């Protein structure tokens, strides 16, 4: 999906920084970033991703989405966990969930 969005991303020149912006429509930016509308507006408000108005459309800069993803903290493990420990740590179901019941 990201490749399709990338193919359709419009580019604009940012005269202040002399680089190209990879702009896509709002819904495509959300899909690319793997977040919903509410989260996108929150990220824009906190200046974590950049958005621009083009006519009546809100366009999201994919470069800023990539920068946001790169800024996310990495999840560190505490050594090798078995499935049950991982399940307790993440409150999710393990891949072998049926075997543990």
């Amino acid at each position: 999906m990201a490749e399709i969005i990338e193919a359709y991303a419009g580019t604009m020149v940012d005269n202040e920084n002399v680089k190209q912006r990879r702009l896509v429509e709002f819904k495509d930016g959300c899909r690319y970033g793997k977040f919903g509308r509410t989260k996108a507006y929150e990220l824009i408000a906190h200046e974590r991703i950049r958005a621009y108005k083009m006519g009546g459309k809100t366009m999201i800069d994919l470069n800023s989405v990539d920068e946001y993803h790169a800024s996310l903290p990495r999840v560190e493990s505490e050594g090798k966990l078995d499935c049950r420990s991982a399940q307790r740590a993440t409150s999710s179901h393990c891949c072998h969930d049926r075997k543990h019941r």
Side-chain angles (χ1 to χ4, degrees):
M1 180 57 79
E3 295 83 18
I4 295 169
I5 293 171
E6 287 279 347
Y8 289 105
T11 57
M12 296 181 67
V13 176
D14 180 352
N15 292 327
E16 296 171 13
N17 298 321
V18 190
K19 66 178 183 178
Q20 290 188 340
R21 297 178 184 162
R22 298 179 319 167
L23 299 180
V24 295
E25 290 186 21
F26 188 85
K27 64 180 178 180
D28 295 324
C30 291
R31 189 175 301 122
Y32 178 84
K34 303 211 182 339
F35 42 72
R37 292 172 48 92
T38 303
K39 183 66 175 180
Y41 283 120
E42 176 185 315
L43 293 171
I44 293 166
H46 291 268
E47 297 182 354
R48 300 295 305 275
I49 64 172
R50 292 180 298 278
Y52 302 90
K53 281 293 194 181
M54 188 163 55
K57 294 182 180 182
T58 300
M59 308 295 283
I60 292 181
D61 184 344
L62 295 183
N63 292 331
S64 69
V65 175
D66 290 341
E67 292 165 10
Y68 166 69
H69 284 162
S71 75
L72 294 174
R74 181 172 177 224
V75 175
E76 298 290 335
S77 66
E78 296 178 20
K80 188 175 182 178
L81 298 174
D82 64 14
C83 291
R84 287 181 189 225
S85 298
Q87 184 178 0
R88 284 192 296 274
T90 62
S91 300
S92 66
H93 297 289
C94 147
C95 58
H96 311 318
D97 194 41
R98 290 179 296 241
K99 294 179 184 176
H100 297 307
R101 288 186 184 176

XYZ file of all heavy atoms in Angstrom:
811
model
N 0.823 -1.191 0.000
C 0.000 0.000 0.000
C 0.869 1.257 0.000
O 0.572 2.207 -0.688
C -0.923 -0.031 1.217
C -1.823 1.179 1.302
S -2.874 1.487 -0.115
C -4.150 0.332 0.157
N 1.950 1.227 0.776
C 2.812 2.404 0.848
C 3.393 2.746 -0.516
O 3.547 3.919 -0.850
C 3.935 2.181 1.851
N 3.697 1.713 -1.314
C 4.254 1.959 -2.637
C 3.251 2.686 -3.525
O 3.614 3.558 -4.312
C 4.669 0.639 -3.310
C 5.791 -0.078 -2.600
C 5.302 -0.920 -1.438
O 4.101 -1.231 -1.370
O 6.134 -1.246 -0.579
N 1.981 2.319 -3.414
C 0.938 2.971 -4.201
C 0.813 4.434 -3.789
O 0.747 5.326 -4.629
C -0.409 2.237 -4.046
C -0.303 0.829 -4.643
C -1.544 3.021 -4.701
C -1.479 -0.061 -4.322
N 0.796 4.678 -2.492
C 0.694 6.051 -1.994
C 1.905 6.851 -2.452
O 1.776 7.987 -2.897
C 0.551 6.065 -0.463
C -0.797 5.461 -0.070
C 0.686 7.481 0.083
C -0.974 5.231 1.398
N 3.091 6.253 -2.344
C 4.314 6.929 -2.780
C 4.229 7.309 -4.262
O 4.636 8.389 -4.663
C 5.525 6.011 -2.588
C 5.934 5.839 -1.163
C 6.773 6.970 -0.646
O 7.250 7.794 -1.446
O 6.947 7.042 0.563
N 3.682 6.415 -5.071
C 3.602 6.665 -6.509
C 2.719 7.862 -6.821
O 2.958 8.594 -7.781
C 3.087 5.428 -7.231
N 1.690 8.067 -6.012
C 0.756 9.164 -6.258
C 1.094 10.421 -5.472
O 0.412 11.424 -5.591
C -0.672 8.727 -5.944
C -1.191 7.744 -6.962
C -1.297 6.401 -6.656
C -1.540 8.165 -8.239
C -1.756 5.491 -7.594
C -1.992 7.266 -9.182
C -2.101 5.926 -8.850
O -2.542 5.039 -9.781
N 2.124 10.370 -4.650
C 2.475 11.530 -3.831
C 2.910 12.678 -4.728
O 3.801 12.540 -5.542
C 3.586 11.179 -2.851
N 2.243 13.811 -4.573
C 2.633 14.997 -5.316
C 3.863 15.595 -4.662
O 4.092 15.431 -3.476
N 4.668 16.265 -5.429
C 5.841 16.905 -4.849
C 5.738 18.402 -5.070
O 5.266 18.875 -6.093
C 7.145 16.378 -5.477
O 7.091 16.591 -6.875
C 7.345 14.908 -5.175
N 6.159 19.135 -4.063
C 6.192 20.589 -4.131
C 7.558 21.020 -3.616
O 8.136 20.378 -2.744
C 5.096 21.206 -3.255
C 3.691 20.865 -3.692
S 2.460 21.637 -2.644
C 2.714 23.347 -3.030
N 8.065 22.124 -4.109
C 9.356 22.623 -3.662
C 9.135 23.521 -2.456
O 8.313 24.426 -2.472
C 10.077 23.395 -4.790
C 11.371 23.994 -4.287
C 10.324 22.473 -5.967
N 9.883 23.257 -1.388
C 9.885 24.090 -0.199
C 11.023 25.093 -0.380
O 12.188 24.759 -0.215
C 10.108 23.213 1.037
C 10.129 24.004 2.325
O 10.128 25.246 2.284
O 10.145 23.368 3.395
N 10.680 26.324 -0.743
C 11.703 27.324 -1.053
C 12.556 27.690 0.149
O 13.692 28.114 -0.002
C 11.061 28.579 -1.639
C 10.488 28.305 -3.014
O 11.021 27.503 -3.770
N 9.390 28.967 -3.328
N 12.017 27.540 1.372
C 12.787 27.864 2.566
C 13.907 26.849 2.780
O 15.017 27.210 3.146
C 11.874 27.887 3.794
C 10.821 28.967 3.731
C 9.805 28.819 4.843
O 10.050 28.038 5.780
O 8.766 29.490 4.774
N 13.628 25.579 2.580
C 14.612 24.533 2.836
C 15.168 23.921 1.556
O 16.004 23.036 1.611
C 13.996 23.428 3.689
C 13.554 23.945 5.037
O 14.216 24.765 5.644
N 12.419 23.461 5.500
N 14.701 24.364 0.400
C 15.098 23.869 -0.910
C 15.090 22.334 -0.936
O 16.088 21.689 -1.200
C 16.474 24.437 -1.334
C 16.746 24.105 -2.785
C 16.541 25.923 -1.125
N 13.968 21.756 -0.606
C 13.781 20.316 -0.734
C 12.356 20.060 -1.186
O 11.502 20.937 -1.112
C 14.071 19.585 0.574
C 13.098 19.899 1.693
C 13.420 19.097 2.918
C 12.396 19.372 4.004
N 12.640 18.579 5.193
N 12.112 18.867 -1.663
C 10.773 18.547 -2.129
C 9.945 17.966 -0.998
O 10.441 17.215 -0.159
C 10.840 17.546 -3.278
C 11.401 18.156 -4.535
C 11.269 17.218 -5.712
O 11.111 16.026 -5.549
N 11.324 17.773 -6.898
N 8.671 18.312 -1.011
C 7.709 17.752 -0.066
C 6.971 16.635 -0.777
O 6.583 16.785 -1.929
C 6.695 18.811 0.367
C 7.291 19.951 1.101
C 6.191 20.944 1.426
N 6.750 22.117 2.052
C 6.125 23.264 2.128
N 4.933 23.413 1.608
N 6.674 24.284 2.729
N 6.751 15.548 -0.105
C 5.946 14.457 -0.655
C 4.560 14.600 -0.037
O 4.316 14.142 1.070
C 6.551 13.103 -0.309
C 7.932 12.909 -0.875
C 8.505 11.576 -0.491
N 8.184 11.262 0.894
C 8.330 10.071 1.445
N 8.789 9.075 0.754
N 8.014 9.857 2.696
N 3.661 15.263 -0.736
C 2.337 15.553 -0.214
C 1.309 14.578 -0.766
O 1.305 14.284 -1.956
C 1.917 16.976 -0.570
C 2.793 18.100 -0.019
C 2.237 19.445 -0.458
C 2.907 18.021 1.494
N 0.451 14.108 0.133
C -0.669 13.259 -0.259
C -1.913 13.761 0.455
O -1.834 14.488 1.446
C -0.436 11.763 0.090
C 0.729 11.192 -0.705
C -0.235 11.556 1.580
N -3.063 13.364 -0.058
C -4.311 13.747 0.600
C -4.354 13.161 2.010
O -3.711 12.156 2.305
C -5.501 13.265 -0.215
C -5.653 14.029 -1.514
C -6.928 13.661 -2.261
O -7.876 13.141 -1.639
O -6.965 13.894 -3.480
N -5.134 13.795 2.855
C -5.203 13.463 4.279
C -5.425 11.970 4.513
O -4.691 11.338 5.265
C -6.323 14.294 4.932
C -6.372 14.172 6.412
C -5.578 14.963 7.211
C -7.213 13.252 7.013
C -5.618 14.847 8.592
C -7.261 13.127 8.385
C -6.463 13.932 9.171
N -6.445 11.392 3.862
C -6.767 9.976 4.106
C -5.611 9.071 3.704
O -5.344 8.069 4.373
C -8.046 9.575 3.388
C -7.954 9.661 1.878
C -9.221 9.262 1.185
C -8.984 9.441 -0.305
N -10.030 9.123 -1.141
N -4.897 9.419 2.627
C -3.762 8.619 2.193
C -2.580 8.769 3.155
O -1.835 7.817 3.383
C -3.345 8.991 0.774
C -4.431 8.659 -0.237
O -5.118 7.628 -0.052
O -4.604 9.418 -1.202
N -2.423 9.948 3.717
C -1.384 10.166 4.727
C -1.644 9.347 5.979
O -0.723 8.790 6.575
N -2.916 9.265 6.366
C -3.288 8.439 7.521
C -3.010 6.968 7.236
O -2.480 6.251 8.084
C -4.760 8.626 7.872
S -5.169 10.244 8.528
N -3.358 6.535 6.042
C -3.124 5.130 5.663
C -1.627 4.840 5.648
O -1.174 3.823 6.175
C -3.746 4.857 4.301
C -3.750 3.395 3.917
C -4.475 3.122 2.612
N -5.872 3.545 2.665
C -6.429 4.428 1.834
N -5.726 4.971 0.870
N -7.687 4.753 1.949
N -0.845 5.731 5.069
C 0.606 5.566 5.002
C 1.203 5.505 6.412
O 2.068 4.677 6.693
C 1.211 6.721 4.211
C 2.710 6.702 4.116
C 3.350 5.947 3.138
C 3.495 7.462 4.981
C 4.729 5.939 3.032
C 4.878 7.457 4.886
C 5.487 6.694 3.917
O 6.855 6.686 3.827
N 0.724 6.392 7.288
C 1.254 6.465 8.648
C 0.701 5.427 9.593
O 1.171 5.281 10.710
N -0.328 4.707 9.143
C -0.988 3.678 9.943
C -1.594 4.256 11.232
O -1.479 3.698 12.310
C -0.028 2.536 10.259
C 0.556 1.907 9.001
C 0.841 0.468 9.174
C 1.456 -0.234 8.002
N 1.346 0.292 6.708
N -2.238 5.429 11.086
C -2.983 6.025 12.183
C -4.288 6.581 11.645
O -4.449 6.757 10.444
C -2.191 7.104 12.935
C -1.399 8.045 12.064
C -2.014 9.012 11.292
C -0.016 7.966 12.032
C -1.296 9.884 10.506
C 0.726 8.842 11.246
C 0.087 9.801 10.488
N -5.224 6.829 12.549
C -6.536 7.329 12.171
C -6.584 8.843 12.113
O -5.601 9.539 12.389
N -7.771 9.343 11.772
C -7.970 10.786 11.630
C -7.676 11.543 12.923
O -6.986 12.559 12.910
C -9.418 11.078 11.221
C -9.796 10.629 9.847
C -11.299 10.785 9.590
N -11.806 12.100 9.978
C -11.891 13.152 9.163
N -11.540 13.027 7.899
N -12.340 14.299 9.578
N -8.196 11.036 14.035
C -8.020 11.726 15.318
C -6.548 11.828 15.676
O -6.062 12.887 16.080
C -8.802 11.001 16.426
O -10.180 10.938 16.048
C -8.667 11.708 17.760
N -5.818 10.722 15.535
C -4.388 10.717 15.838
C -3.650 11.663 14.891
O -2.736 12.381 15.313
C -3.826 9.296 15.722
C -2.361 9.185 16.083
C -2.143 9.487 17.551
C -0.696 9.250 17.951
N -0.496 9.554 19.376
N -4.030 11.680 13.622
C -3.381 12.573 12.657
C -3.559 14.033 13.084
O -2.589 14.798 13.081
C -3.955 12.360 11.259
N -4.771 14.427 13.459
C -4.997 15.806 13.892
C -4.214 16.120 15.169
O -3.697 17.228 15.341
C -6.490 16.080 14.086
C -7.212 16.278 12.777
C -8.259 15.442 12.400
C -6.855 17.300 11.899
C -8.930 15.620 11.193
C -7.519 17.495 10.692
C -8.548 16.647 10.351
O -9.197 16.828 9.156
N -4.099 15.135 16.053
C -3.312 15.318 17.276
C -1.832 15.534 16.923
O -1.186 16.435 17.455
C -3.466 14.077 18.158
C -2.630 14.103 19.420
C -2.741 12.787 20.169
O -3.873 12.275 20.324
O -1.688 12.266 20.580
N -1.304 14.719 16.016
C 0.096 14.853 15.600
C 0.346 16.181 14.910
O 1.395 16.809 15.107
C 0.487 13.684 14.688
C 0.515 12.309 15.354
C 0.688 11.216 14.309
C 1.599 12.230 16.415
N -0.609 16.648 14.122
C -0.485 17.950 13.459
C -0.493 19.068 14.502
O 0.348 19.973 14.459
C -1.610 18.148 12.424
C -1.435 17.166 11.257
C -1.645 19.593 11.924
C -2.656 17.028 10.359
N -1.417 18.985 15.458
C -1.525 20.018 16.493
C -0.258 20.108 17.342
O 0.140 21.201 17.762
C -2.736 19.739 17.386
N 0.384 18.967 17.571
C 1.615 18.929 18.380
C 2.866 19.069 17.516
O 3.981 18.870 18.003
C 1.673 17.631 19.190
C 0.646 17.583 20.266
N 0.876 18.004 21.551
C -0.656 17.180 20.235
C -0.220 17.846 22.274
N -1.165 17.356 21.491
N 2.657 19.393 16.234
C 3.731 19.619 15.274
C 4.672 18.424 15.141
O 5.868 18.559 14.924
C 4.506 20.891 15.614
C 3.630 22.125 15.538
C 4.380 23.418 15.818
O 5.574 23.370 16.180
O 3.753 24.472 15.673
N 4.110 17.219 15.244
C 4.901 15.991 15.046
C 4.908 15.602 13.570
O 5.847 14.991 13.096
C 4.326 14.843 15.886
C 4.309 15.081 17.390
C 5.694 15.207 18.001
N 6.589 14.099 17.742
C 6.656 12.978 18.449
N 5.879 12.792 19.478
N 7.526 12.034 18.131
N 3.824 15.933 12.842
C 3.792 15.775 11.388
C 3.325 17.106 10.799
O 2.692 17.904 11.486
C 2.887 14.606 10.917
C 1.429 14.841 11.273
C 3.387 13.280 11.454
C 0.473 13.805 10.669
N 3.642 17.318 9.526
C 3.289 18.575 8.867
C 2.138 18.362 7.890
O 2.067 17.342 7.206
C 4.503 19.133 8.123
C 5.602 19.603 9.053
C 6.806 20.159 8.311
N 7.475 19.186 7.450
C 8.358 18.285 7.870
N 8.671 18.205 9.149
N 8.931 17.460 7.007
N 1.263 19.343 7.850
C 0.139 19.318 6.913
C 0.030 20.693 6.275
O 0.419 21.709 6.870
C -1.148 18.954 7.639
N -0.508 20.701 5.068
C -0.656 21.926 4.299
C -2.038 21.942 3.677
O -2.633 20.904 3.435
C 0.404 21.992 3.184
C 1.814 21.926 3.713
C 2.455 20.704 3.869
C 2.493 23.074 4.068
C 3.746 20.627 4.370
C 3.794 23.011 4.570
C 4.412 21.787 4.716
O 5.677 21.718 5.214
N -2.532 23.132 3.402
C -3.792 23.279 2.687
C -3.491 23.525 1.223
O -2.662 24.356 0.877
C -4.609 24.462 3.229
C -5.344 24.151 4.512
C -6.424 23.139 4.250
C -7.380 23.059 5.427
N -8.413 22.071 5.202
N -4.152 22.778 0.369
C -4.043 22.984 -1.067
C -5.467 23.066 -1.577
O -6.159 22.047 -1.659
C -3.272 21.834 -1.730
C -2.972 22.098 -3.187
S -1.672 21.053 -3.896
C -2.239 19.419 -3.562
N -5.911 24.280 -1.839
C -7.313 24.486 -2.156
C -8.112 24.175 -0.902
O -7.813 24.645 0.174
N -9.102 23.326 -1.020
C -9.887 22.937 0.145
C -9.421 21.646 0.791
O -10.031 21.166 1.735
N -8.309 21.083 0.294
C -7.849 19.788 0.801
C -6.692 19.950 1.764
O -5.821 20.793 1.578
C -7.386 18.894 -0.357
C -8.488 18.482 -1.286
C -7.959 17.562 -2.364
C -9.092 17.152 -3.287
N -8.631 16.229 -4.323
N -6.684 19.111 2.784
C -5.553 19.030 3.701
C -4.615 17.958 3.175
O -5.029 16.827 2.933
C -6.016 18.671 5.125
O -6.922 19.678 5.585
C -4.842 18.577 6.079
N -3.371 18.334 2.989
C -2.353 17.431 2.471
C -1.347 17.137 3.573
O -0.952 18.041 4.320
C -1.637 18.071 1.283
C -2.564 18.598 0.195
S -3.500 17.323 -0.636
C -2.221 16.664 -1.695
N -0.943 15.885 3.688
C 0.043 15.480 4.692
C 1.378 15.245 3.997
O 1.449 14.619 2.941
C -0.424 14.215 5.439
C -1.645 14.549 6.298
C 0.702 13.643 6.298
C -2.188 13.398 7.095
N 2.434 15.733 4.630
C 3.798 15.567 4.131
C 4.328 14.210 4.595
O 4.515 13.988 5.794
C 4.666 16.705 4.675
C 6.082 16.694 4.156
O 6.529 15.661 3.618
O 6.750 17.729 4.301
N 4.550 13.301 3.650
C 5.010 11.954 3.999
C 6.401 11.963 4.626
O 6.721 11.086 5.434
C 4.991 11.046 2.771
C 3.622 10.756 2.163
C 3.761 9.781 0.997
C 2.643 10.221 3.193
N 7.219 12.945 4.272
C 8.535 13.044 4.914
C 8.378 13.237 6.413
O 9.116 12.647 7.200
C 9.358 14.192 4.323
C 9.761 13.937 2.894
O 9.934 12.795 2.477
N 9.899 14.998 2.128
N 7.397 14.047 6.815
C 7.192 14.285 8.245
C 6.650 13.041 8.932
O 6.952 12.799 10.098
C 6.265 15.485 8.474
O 4.933 15.205 8.076
N 5.869 12.239 8.224
C 5.377 10.975 8.791
C 6.560 10.033 9.001
O 6.674 9.387 10.057
C 4.302 10.330 7.887
C 3.896 8.958 8.418
C 3.085 11.235 7.774
N 7.473 9.969 8.028
C 8.673 9.144 8.182
C 9.514 9.619 9.363
O 10.025 8.806 10.151
C 9.525 9.177 6.908
C 8.879 8.433 5.743
O 7.968 7.599 5.978
O 9.273 8.707 4.592
N 9.645 10.932 9.526
C 10.394 11.496 10.655
C 9.725 11.136 11.979
O 10.404 10.806 12.955
C 10.513 13.011 10.514
C 11.393 13.448 9.369
C 11.219 14.916 8.997
O 10.538 15.668 9.753
O 11.759 15.323 7.955
N 8.400 11.215 12.011
C 7.662 10.844 13.221
C 7.911 9.377 13.565
O 8.233 9.045 14.708
C 6.166 11.106 13.031
C 5.309 10.457 14.081
C 5.331 10.909 15.398
C 4.495 9.373 13.777
C 4.563 10.307 16.381
C 3.725 8.764 14.755
C 3.763 9.230 16.046
O 3.015 8.617 17.022
N 7.793 8.493 12.574
C 8.034 7.068 12.824
C 9.451 6.841 13.332
O 9.664 6.039 14.254
C 7.784 6.252 11.566
C 6.344 6.065 11.255
N 5.909 5.698 10.012
C 5.219 6.184 12.009
C 4.588 5.599 10.018
N 4.158 5.902 11.216
N 10.423 7.531 12.764
C 11.819 7.368 13.182
C 12.048 7.859 14.613
O 12.963 7.383 15.295
C 12.742 8.113 12.220
N 11.209 8.770 15.088
C 11.374 9.322 16.436
C 10.737 8.462 17.531
O 10.952 8.713 18.709
C 10.768 10.726 16.506
O 9.339 10.662 16.544
N 9.962 7.464 17.133
C 9.286 6.632 18.127
C 10.296 5.788 18.895
O 11.267 5.296 18.316
C 8.260 5.717 17.449
C 7.085 6.434 16.795
C 6.227 5.428 16.036
C 6.254 7.166 17.824
N 10.073 5.612 20.206
C 11.014 4.813 20.988
C 10.910 3.329 20.638
O 9.830 2.832 20.305
C 10.568 5.059 22.435
C 9.140 5.438 22.337
C 8.977 6.130 21.011
N 12.026 2.678 20.697
C 12.078 1.247 20.427
C 11.647 0.503 21.681
O 11.987 0.884 22.802
C 13.500 0.851 20.045
C 13.643 -0.592 19.734
C 15.016 -0.897 19.186
N 15.096 -2.324 18.970
C 16.124 -3.063 19.292
N 17.197 -2.506 19.822
N 16.124 -4.356 19.076
N 10.930 -0.577 21.497
C 10.528 -1.417 22.614
C 11.688 -2.345 22.929
O 12.159 -3.084 22.060
C 9.257 -2.237 22.278
C 8.914 -3.191 23.400
C 8.099 -1.310 21.971
N 12.176 -2.283 24.152
C 13.289 -3.124 24.573
C 12.749 -4.326 25.329
O 11.869 -4.196 26.167
C 14.232 -2.335 25.488
C 14.873 -1.136 24.831
C 15.904 -1.511 23.786
O 16.471 -2.619 23.863
O 16.132 -0.689 22.889
N 13.285 -5.478 25.039
C 12.872 -6.681 25.764
C 13.828 -6.901 26.929
O 14.956 -6.429 26.937
C 12.876 -7.893 24.836
O 14.192 -8.178 24.434
N 13.359 -7.629 27.907
C 14.182 -7.952 29.075
C 14.738 -9.356 28.914
O 14.552 -10.210 29.767
C 13.337 -7.847 30.339
C 12.836 -6.452 30.596
C 11.963 -6.389 31.832
O 12.048 -7.287 32.681
O 11.200 -5.433 31.941
N 15.400 -9.606 27.833
C 15.920 -10.934 27.568
C 14.868 -11.756 26.857
O 13.849 -11.261 26.407
N 15.131 -13.021 26.753
C 14.221 -13.905 26.035
C 13.028 -14.245 26.925
O 13.190 -14.721 28.038
C 14.955 -15.178 25.618
C 14.147 -16.060 24.716
C 14.959 -17.237 24.240
C 14.129 -18.067 23.290
N 14.903 -19.196 22.777
N 11.833 -13.980 26.432
C 10.609 -14.270 27.162
C 9.921 -15.468 26.535
O 9.939 -15.631 25.321
C 9.649 -13.075 27.096
C 10.115 -11.771 27.707
C 9.101 -10.683 27.423
C 10.314 -11.916 29.200
N 9.308 -16.288 27.372
C 8.494 -17.347 26.788
C 7.138 -16.753 26.418
O 6.838 -15.606 26.704
C 8.351 -18.549 27.730
C 7.608 -18.215 29.021
O 6.963 -17.153 29.098
O 7.656 -19.035 29.956
N 6.310 -17.524 25.772
C 5.023 -17.019 25.283
C 4.153 -16.492 26.406
O 3.520 -15.455 26.268
C 4.278 -18.115 24.524
S 5.050 -18.536 22.961
N 4.112 -17.178 27.531
C 3.247 -16.727 28.636
C 3.735 -15.411 29.215
O 2.941 -14.537 29.527
C 3.171 -17.793 29.720
C 2.335 -18.974 29.323
C 2.289 -19.982 30.444
N 1.658 -21.190 29.967
C 0.738 -21.845 30.648
N 0.368 -21.417 31.831
N 0.204 -22.932 30.173
N 5.038 -15.257 29.371
C 5.581 -13.997 29.891
C 5.294 -12.849 28.935
O 4.932 -11.761 29.350
C 7.091 -14.112 30.107
O 7.368 -15.101 31.059
N 5.465 -13.106 27.647
C 5.192 -12.076 26.652
C 3.720 -11.698 26.673
O 3.364 -10.535 26.556
C 5.600 -12.555 25.262
N 2.870 -12.690 26.851
C 1.432 -12.431 26.887
C 1.082 -11.566 28.087
O 0.332 -10.611 27.978
C 0.685 -13.750 26.946
C -0.822 -13.605 26.900
C -1.522 -14.960 26.913
O -0.876 -15.991 26.958
N -2.814 -14.928 26.884
N 1.655 -11.856 29.250
C 1.377 -11.052 30.443
C 1.926 -9.639 30.283
O 1.303 -8.672 30.687
C 1.979 -11.715 31.680
C 1.207 -12.907 32.169
C 1.697 -13.332 33.545
N 3.073 -13.794 33.538
C 3.464 -15.045 33.270
N 2.576 -15.953 32.951
N 4.734 -15.359 33.306
N 3.094 -9.515 29.670
C 3.732 -8.207 29.527
C 2.967 -7.301 28.579
O 2.925 -6.095 28.762
C 5.172 -8.378 29.033
N 2.361 -7.875 27.563
C 1.685 -7.050 26.565
C 0.169 -7.099 26.663
O -0.520 -6.415 25.934
C 2.076 -7.498 25.142
O 1.646 -8.851 24.957
C 3.564 -7.378 24.919
N -0.363 -7.919 27.548
C -1.817 -8.097 27.689
C -2.448 -8.503 26.376
O -3.564 -8.117 26.066
C -2.482 -6.820 28.204
O -1.968 -6.468 29.438
N -1.723 -9.261 25.585
C -2.260 -9.721 24.312
C -2.191 -11.234 24.263
O -1.603 -11.869 25.123
C -1.478 -9.124 23.152
O -0.167 -9.629 23.164
N -2.783 -11.773 23.246
C -2.778 -13.211 23.093
C -1.510 -13.649 22.402
O -1.018 -13.014 21.497
C -4.001 -13.670 22.295
C -5.279 -13.351 22.999
N -5.670 -14.004 24.125
C -6.219 -12.421 22.744
C -6.821 -13.506 24.536
N -7.173 -12.527 23.706
N -1.018 -14.762 22.842
C 0.203 -15.323 22.287
C -0.121 -16.098 21.020
O -1.245 -16.519 20.801
C 0.818 -16.199 23.371
S 1.683 -17.634 22.842
N 0.879 -16.295 20.207
C 0.672 -17.011 18.962
C 0.283 -18.471 19.199
O -0.312 -19.109 18.347
C 1.933 -16.937 18.104
S 3.383 -17.616 18.924
N 0.603 -18.998 20.368
C 0.291 -20.398 20.709
C -0.827 -20.453 21.751
O -0.872 -21.364 22.550
C 1.509 -21.117 21.260
C 2.739 -20.959 20.438
N 2.750 -21.027 19.074
C 4.030 -20.715 20.788
C 3.971 -20.865 18.623
N 4.764 -20.647 19.637
N -1.686 -19.448 21.760
C -2.678 -19.275 22.814
C -3.477 -20.544 23.086
O -3.752 -20.863 24.234
C -3.614 -18.123 22.452
C -4.442 -17.691 23.644
O -3.880 -17.625 24.750
O -5.631 -17.430 23.449
N -3.862 -21.287 22.074
C -4.668 -22.480 22.284
C -3.920 -23.530 23.079
O -4.513 -24.269 23.851
C -5.100 -23.062 20.934
C -6.111 -22.198 20.218
C -6.452 -22.841 18.915
N -5.251 -22.860 18.083
C -5.140 -22.254 16.924
N -6.144 -21.625 16.402
N -4.018 -22.281 16.252
N -2.617 -23.618 22.950
C -1.830 -24.617 23.665
C -1.760 -24.334 25.161
O -1.571 -25.229 25.955
C -0.414 -24.689 23.102
C -0.365 -25.198 21.679
C 1.074 -25.203 21.191
C 1.138 -25.606 19.734
N 2.492 -25.536 19.220
N -1.880 -23.056 25.549
C -1.743 -22.685 26.951
C -3.037 -22.794 27.733
O -3.026 -22.604 28.938
C -1.198 -21.261 27.058
C 0.159 -21.094 26.482
N 1.237 -21.875 26.823
C 0.622 -20.237 25.544
C 2.295 -21.495 26.151
N 1.950 -20.506 25.354
N -4.139 -23.038 27.095
C -5.419 -23.070 27.802
C -5.694 -24.411 28.367
O -5.355 -25.437 27.963
C -6.554 -22.655 26.861
C -6.475 -21.180 26.584
C -7.672 -20.759 25.781
N -7.477 -19.341 25.482
C -8.277 -18.650 24.742
N -9.337 -19.179 24.209
N -8.061 -17.389 24.518
